[in-house]
Amino acid sequence: MTANFVESSFCQQDIPFEVPLRPQGLDEFCGQDSIKDRLSILIQAAKQRGEALGHCLFSGPPGLGKTTLANILAKAMGSQIVITSGPVLEKAGDLAGLLTNLKAGDILFIDELHRLNRTLEEYLYSAMEDFVLDIVIDSGPSARSVRLPLPPFTLVGATTRSGLISAPMRSRFSMSSRLDYYSNETLSLILQRTSRILNLHIDEEGLTEVAKRSRGTPRIANNLLRWVRDYAQIYHGGKIEVSAVKQALEMLAVDECGLDEMDKKILEVIIDHHQGGPVGLNAIAAAIGEEKSTVEEVYEPYLVLKGFIKRTPRGREATELAYRHLNKINGA
């Protein structure tokens, strides 16, 4: 019994917890057409020359497909991808270990690149340009510099805060692209593909309803569709109709504009407590019981994008659209 267990542990692959939804190629990737066109040219040119891809930097809000594009690049080039993140790399040895184990043409993907230690960033400069790694061994009088040759590799960086990446680092990427929020039509196409993978039977109207509430983000759209699937399975016997979709999303307190409970709470604080503003970010954060950075980085960007609040030198103000959406009367 023990022998069989050991044998099966080594010979059988782990069963995936959830069906992977990431597109495997540029042809499956919906939206971001201009970026796909540039990447297609980059891939074809590198293949024709027999070289590694140029270094790429993807920026934009979370959940738009930066990691997916990195995996697509590796698959298109037939190379391996090593995935890490900026905060994980603490010492020069960590980075050296990753770089020296790469093979020619491999891709090193660093997520949250803006959080990479500045000292490690210096090591990357020579690695990206000359494919060498200069490291210092020992310390004091016995310290010496050793130059390690590296195989030609591709660094793919992803960041949600491109402004925090230093100019020398940014200039070393041959291609820098920003991913934008997706339209409802594109999200519907993504959800159609997801529903086929998950073997869901949902009509176009139901997919449109989910897409409208997804904040322009595929990750949120797929998460909402999974929730709709679970809700329909429990309350509607697995039958997904528009009414079931609306009921499922109402249970999450997500309205037709994609605003959740916390978004509406922020708007109500500005309108009810401060007569529509202007009001400082610290006051908003204190009123809703959240950290200032969470309000500024998680909730506020979408509210500003959709025109529900505006930033002014004196603070945040609710717009006329916010009053109408919450059925409030503007007393200004």
Side-chain angles (χ1 to χ4, degrees):
M1 179 176 172
T2 306
N4 292 337
F5 173 76
V6 172
E7 182 181 357
S8 65
S9 297
F10 280 106
C11 298
Q12 295 182 5
Q13 291 186 346
D14 291 338
I15 300 173
F17 176 72
E18 183 61 276
V19 179
L21 302 179
R22 293 187 188 277
Q24 300 300 306
L26 288 177
D27 54 335
E28 296 180 18
F29 193 95
C30 298
Q32 314 292 347
D33 292 336
S34 62
I35 295 177
K36 287 197 302 182
D37 291 341
R38 295 199 296 270
L39 288 177
S40 178
I41 293 173
L42 200 68
I43 291 168
Q44 293 178 51
K47 280 184 172 180
Q48 288 178 8
R49 292 194 302 268
E51 298 177 356
L53 279 172
H55 306 301
C56 300
L57 176 64
F58 299 123
S59 61
L64 298 188
K66 298 184 288 295
T67 304
T68 298
L69 285 175
N71 282 280
I72 287 175
L73 289 178
K75 195 172 184 67
M77 295 299 295
S79 58
Q80 297 295 318
I81 181 170
V82 177
I83 299 177
T84 185
S85 64
V88 172
L89 300 173
E90 296 180 349
K91 298 176 293 183
D94 300 334
L95 183 61
L98 289 176
L99 291 174
T100 53
N101 284 314
L102 293 175
K103 297 180 177 63
D106 281 357
I107 290 178
L108 175 61
F109 175 68
I110 302 181
D111 200 7
E112 296 297 310
L113 185 63
H114 62 275
R115 297 176 63 186
L116 184 67
N117 187 299
R118 285 290 180 258
T119 304
L120 299 186
E121 192 177 294
E122 298 283 344
Y123 283 103
L124 275 178
Y125 293 163
S126 59
M128 293 172 71
E129 284 190 329
D130 306 318
F131 299 114
V132 294
L133 183 64
D134 296 311
I135 59 174
V136 177
I137 298 177
D138 290 333
S139 59
S142 59
R144 63 189 187 277
S145 177
V146 177
R147 171 163 285 199
L148 301 176
L150 299 173
F153 72 97
T154 301
L155 177 65
V156 178
T159 177
T160 55
R161 306 282 296 277
S162 58
L164 296 182
I165 296 179
S166 65
M169 170 61 85
R170 196 183 301 114
S171 65
R172 282 172 168 79
F173 288 97
S174 59
M175 178 178 169
S176 181
S177 303
R178 175 174 173 79
L179 280 71
D180 293 320
Y181 287 107
Y182 293 67
S183 65
N184 291 341
E185 292 76 16
T186 303
L187 285 175
S188 293
L189 294 175
I190 293 172
L191 289 171
Q192 284 179 15
R193 176 182 176 276
T194 301
S195 61
R196 287 196 300 270
I197 294 173
L198 297 179
N199 197 25
L200 301 180
H201 301 287
I202 178 172
D203 58 19
E204 191 171 335
E205 190 178 352
L207 292 176
T208 302
E209 200 65 38
V210 176
K212 285 194 305 185
R213 304 172 191 237
S214 300
R215 304 170 76 99
T217 307
R219 183 182 295 163
I220 295 176
N222 287 330
N223 289 340
L224 289 180
L225 187 61
R226 283 194 180 109
W227 164 251
V228 169
R229 174 193 62 178
D230 295 345
Y231 180 89
Q233 179 180 327
I234 300 302
Y235 288 105
H236 294 269
K239 192 175 182 181
I240 306 177
E241 297 178 342
V242 179
S243 58
V245 173
K246 291 182 177 179
Q247 291 168 13
L249 297 176
E250 284 171 4
M251 182 175 283
L252 290 180
V254 178
D255 65 21
E256 64 278 1
C257 290
L259 302 190
D260 60 19
E261 201 168 357
M262 190 59 73
D263 294 317
K264 285 176 272 194
K265 195 172 181 181
I266 290 172
L267 295 178
E268 287 171 352
V269 165
I270 298 175
I271 293 173
D272 295 338
H273 297 187
H274 301 276
Q275 295 74 48
V279 55
L281 198 57
N282 287 326
I284 296 174
I288 64 173
E290 279 283 4
E291 293 290 332
K292 174 185 172 183
S293 58
T294 304
V295 176
E296 189 173 23
E297 297 175 13
V298 178
Y299 300 109
E300 192 180 62
Y302 185 73
L303 293 174
V304 173
L305 176 71
K306 290 299 180 181
F308 289 105
I309 64 176
K310 58 183 178 181
R311 291 174 173 175
T312 69
R314 296 187 298 161
R316 276 63 174 170
E317 294 182 9
T319 64
E320 190 62 38
L321 180 62
Y323 281 92
R324 290 200 305 269
H325 187 73
L326 297 179
N327 296 316
K328 304 277 187 181
I329 298 176
N330 190 347

